[in-house]
Amino acid sequence: MTDHLEIPLFAFFCVPLGKSPYFPTLSITNSCLISKKIAMENNISPKDKEDETRECCSKESCEYKPTKPVSDDIIPHILNLYGSCATPRDFEIYAPNASFEDPLMCSQGVKQIKSAFYSLSKIFSESRIVEYSVKENAMSPKKQEILIDNKQNYKFLGKSIDMISLIKLYVEDGKVVRHEDWWDKKPLRNRETIGFPLAGRFMETLRRGSMLATHAMMGFGKDPTN
């Protein structure tokens, strides 16, 4: 009995012409004839088989779908926060238990974060980020790290103050869970970054105390009425 070699149907359609392992010099004409013959033997119309062939051969080129960076939706709100023009909607970028920390304050939860940024307009006549660049790192499919290298400008008692900063945002499922602002791009001073842990804890306590005082002054995160 003669052995019968079964050739998978898709081999004729997904292998580039001229490189088929079964037909090294297969021409376009022969390929079309073979396609139609096999289609007829399997009770498939030539038109349906041609559509299937095009879908198979173009599948690889359609698999790549560029995704929109998470930072595109977050950066506009960050600019509003630092620009003393924040609205309740700008704080929707944060997860309910998110934290914010800079050298002066350590906030926990959205209400404390609101107090921290609403207080800017009470201290400075003007504040904004004047220059920035963004780098987004994917930590996992649903976790990102956004680094914002920026220059901030504040006006206090008529004097203009410029400050270089590195804003670090840790994002999970599209929401910011941790927001750090490193002034002069220096790591925050805490028990992990200071060689003497007791001194680090003391610095953290001072920042929490400063936050609680600001939180009370700003009505415990109450949104402005105007």
Side-chain angles (χ1 to χ4, degrees), residues 16-212:
L17 294 180
K19 297 183 179 180
S20 168
Y22 303 102
F23 300 92
T25 58
L26 188 63
S27 65
I28 295 178
T29 302
N30 291 336
S31 176
C32 294
L33 291 175
I34 293 173
S35 298
K36 292 181 179 179
K37 183 178 179 181
I38 295 177
M40 293 176 65
E41 291 176 352
N42 289 276
N43 296 322
I44 302 174
S45 68
K47 184 178 183 303
D48 290 342
K49 179 51 60 181
E50 289 175 3
D51 292 341
E52 182 182 339
T53 302
R54 283 194 294 269
E55 180 181 357
C56 176
C57 295
S58 62
K59 182 179 180 182
E60 183 177 353
S61 61
C62 296
E63 285 181 349
Y64 175 71
K65 296 181 180 179
T67 57
K68 180 182 178 182
V70 176
S71 56
D72 285 1
D73 294 327
I74 294 178
I75 295 301
H77 299 289
I78 293 295
L79 295 177
N80 288 341
L81 297 184
Y82 283 87
S84 298
C85 56
T87 66
R89 185 181 177 187
D90 291 313
F91 295 95
E92 293 178 2
I93 63 173
Y94 293 100
N97 60 340
S99 65
F100 164 74
E101 191 171 359
D102 66 12
L104 292 181
M105 297 182 185
C106 183
S107 312
Q108 189 68 45
V110 176
K111 285 189 175 295
Q112 288 192 5
I113 295 175
K114 284 184 175 182
S115 293
F117 283 101
Y118 283 153
S119 68
L120 289 178
S121 61
K122 305 297 182 181
I123 302 173
F124 304 101
S125 59
E126 184 178 329
S127 67
R128 62 194 178 106
I129 293 178
V130 293
E131 299 175 9
Y132 69 93
S133 62
V134 180
K135 180 180 180 182
E136 184 172 321
N137 300 318
M139 313 303 289
S140 70
K142 293 186 178 181
K143 293 183 180 181
Q144 296 82 25
E145 177 190 51
I146 301 174
L147 305 177
I148 308 173
D149 195 339
N150 69 97
K151 178 181 178 181
Q152 302 172 16
N153 177 263
Y154 298 90
K155 288 187 177 180
F156 180 70
L157 299 177
K159 183 179 180 180
S160 181
I161 304 172
D162 289 328
M163 181 178 67
I164 301 299
S165 164
L166 176 63
I167 296 173
K168 305 182 71 174
L169 305 175
Y170 299 92
V171 182
E172 294 182 7
D173 294 322
K175 295 291 186 178
V176 177
V177 296
R178 183 168 178 78
H179 176 172
E180 297 181 357
D181 194 347
W182 293 14
W183 295 358
D184 295 324
K185 301 184 182 181
K186 296 180 180 179
L188 298 171
R189 298 171 66 83
N190 54 41
R191 70 188 73 182
E192 297 177 356
T193 59
I194 296 180
F196 188 45
L198 185 60
R201 290 194 181 93
F202 178 71
M203 297 294 293
E204 292 175 4
T205 302
L206 288 180
R207 286 201 295 274
R208 291 195 182 96
S210 175
M211 181 66 252
L212 291 176

